[in-house]
Amino acid sequence: MKKLALTVLALTLGLALAQGVTLNGAGATFPFPLYAKYFSVYHKLTGVRVNYQSIGSGGGIRQLFSGTVHFGASDAPLSDAKLAEFEQKFGTPVIHVPTALGAVVPTYYLPGVTRPLNFSGPVLADIFLGKIRKWNDPALVKLNPGVKLPPLPITVVRRSDGSGTTYIWTEYLAKVSPEWKAKVGVGKSVAWPTGLGGKGNEGVAGLVRQTPGAIGYNELVYAVQNKIAYGAVQNRAGKFVLADLASVRAAGELEDFPADTRVSITDTPAPDGYPIASFTWILVYRDLDKDRAVKSAAEAKALAALLDWIVHDGQRYNEALHYAALPEVAVRATEANLKTLRYRGEPVTAK
């Protein structure tokens, strides 16, 4: 009975302390619907308030670098050069905390076409290079036998802001199209050969939905929530795969998972895997006191506890929102990384 009373007292004191804590984050739009759910549930459970700005992965990385947020969020892992830049400036490494797996899908608005279209990687690259300009182009007709494609001009819609979704999309195109790799390359922002720009996944979805003949790219949940048509993409095994939880999970099932969790799963060799899938990450400093936004041990503890909750209990909310839960190998690698979090030289644990 005494032990139970002490446990209840500890939980009560912990909750009382947590209720005064507000954490600020910014970054990727790709996982925003999921993060909104995470942070709403977590506030009800703990009293910790989390303010998250869905401004794109590039913006999240910049805000973390400037010390204005407790955490950044990105669908593109930091490059070796960027990691070195952070560590040189702040004297501490950045830890990548994977939170979910999602899919980027080719979204389109084609009146009169009700069946999901088939795309191949090279054809998508040629569309976004501006080489394929009409929906009844022979390359599209060949991929979609039995579908009457109209002679409608193709309007390309792409991101105007620095975006992890763009990084995933361009990384895939660079893997399957030598011309794309040579002329455009990979990045959160690229010099687009053609197209209209939309800000955020929301902006691209909105432009596609209101523009007959448009094609864009969106995280799966934005296509589902906005009732926008999206196509199947041919994977490396030759199968046309329509993105869903099973095909995203298949892409993420890796035997060898890197200790720092930075991994690419686009153009997966998995026979049933969707080829434009990715992990998404929350980024934090290992030494949390190096981040000017972290002003106390209580905030450091609250941040560590939030990350631990997301990687464990929070995963139950992923699949209802069309994100795949983390595979066990990713959870184990992340647990080891979270144990290295420190505040003023002392370990910061979630427990």
Side-chain angles (χ1 to χ4, degrees):
M1 183 64 71
K2 184 176 180 181
K3 184 177 180 181
L4 177 60
L6 289 172
T7 301
V8 171
L9 177 61
L11 289 172
T12 302
L13 288 172
L15 182 59
L17 288 170
Q19 285 176 334
V21 172
T22 296
L23 301 175
N24 296 308
T29 66
F30 179 94
F32 176 63
L34 179 61
Y35 287 2
K37 180 66 175 179
Y38 281 165
F39 302 149
S40 173
V41 171
Y42 196 70
H43 178 247
K44 291 174 184 176
L45 288 173
T46 67
V48 172
R49 189 176 301 278
V50 185
N51 296 324
Y52 182 74
Q53 295 177 299
S54 176
I55 60 172
S57 296
I61 292 168
R62 285 193 298 273
Q63 288 209 18
L64 183 67
F65 194 75
S66 66
T68 57
V69 292
H70 293 85
F71 64 89
S74 178
D75 312 316
L78 297 182
S79 65
D80 289 347
K82 197 67 179 177
L83 279 173
E85 184 182 353
F86 267 90
E87 189 156 4
Q88 183 177 12
K89 180 176 179 180
F90 299 102
T92 184
V94 171
I95 290 176
H96 290 66
V97 180
T99 57
L101 297 91
V104 180
V105 297
T107 50
Y108 58 89
Y109 177 26
L110 206 52
V113 176
T114 57
R115 194 177 96 185
L117 295 180
N118 289 333
F119 297 95
S120 68
V123 164
L124 285 171
D126 283 349
I127 290 172
F128 279 76
L129 284 166
K131 295 174 65 178
I132 294 177
R133 299 185 178 185
K134 288 199 173 183
W135 281 101
N136 65 342
D137 185 280
L140 284 165
V141 171
K142 184 178 180 181
L143 293 174
N144 294 279
V147 179
K148 188 175 181 180
L149 293 170
L152 193 65
I154 294 174
T155 300
V156 168
V157 181
R158 38 68 175 182
R159 290 286 286 273
S160 60
D161 54 330
S163 157
T165 309
T166 294
Y167 179 90
I168 297 163
W169 185 254
T170 59
E171 184 192 51
Y172 171 70
L173 295 183
K175 286 181 178 180
V176 298
S177 167
E179 185 176 0
W180 182 274
K181 183 177 181 179
K183 291 184 175 180
V184 183
V186 181
K188 294 184 289 295
S189 297
V190 296
W192 293 100
T194 187
L196 304 175
K199 187 174 181 180
N201 263 288
E202 306 93 330
V204 172
L207 280 172
V208 170
R209 189 172 52 183
Q210 67 189 25
T211 310
I215 184 169
Y217 57 93
N218 285 100
E219 203 284 326
L220 176 61
V221 69
Y222 288 88
V224 172
Q225 288 182 345
N226 289 281
K227 297 181 171 58
I228 303 173
Y230 58 95
V233 181
Q234 190 174 35
N235 67 12
R236 200 192 299 181
K239 182 177 180 179
F240 289 98
V241 182
L242 199 65
D244 59 14
L245 289 173
S247 61
V248 172
R249 276 197 301 264
E253 288 294 338
L254 305 175
E255 291 184 8
D256 296 319
F257 200 84
D260 65 7
T261 80
R262 294 186 299 156
V263 65
S264 169
I265 57 173
T266 53
D267 194 30
T268 174
D272 296 316
Y274 180 70
I276 320 179
S278 178
F279 286 85
T280 189
W281 293 267
I282 282 176
L283 310 177
V284 295
Y285 297 101
R286 185 198 63 191
D287 293 275
L288 295 171
D289 53 290
K290 301 295 186 181
D291 185 347
R292 291 197 303 272
V294 180
K295 302 186 184 303
S296 66
E299 288 188 6
K301 176 98 172 176
L303 179 55
L306 170 67
L307 297 175
D308 183 81
W309 180 86
I310 288 172
V311 171
H312 295 102
D313 293 353
Q315 294 297 297
R316 72 183 68 177
Y317 300 102
N318 288 29
E319 298 199 351
L321 291 170
H322 307 283
Y323 299 86
L326 295 175
E328 187 58 33
V329 287
V331 173
R332 288 199 299 268
T334 305
E335 287 172 340
N337 291 334
L338 290 178
K339 287 178 181 176
T340 69
L341 293 176
R342 301 184 302 200
Y343 182 79
R344 296 183 178 176
E346 296 296 322
V348 179
T349 62
K351 306 303 181 187

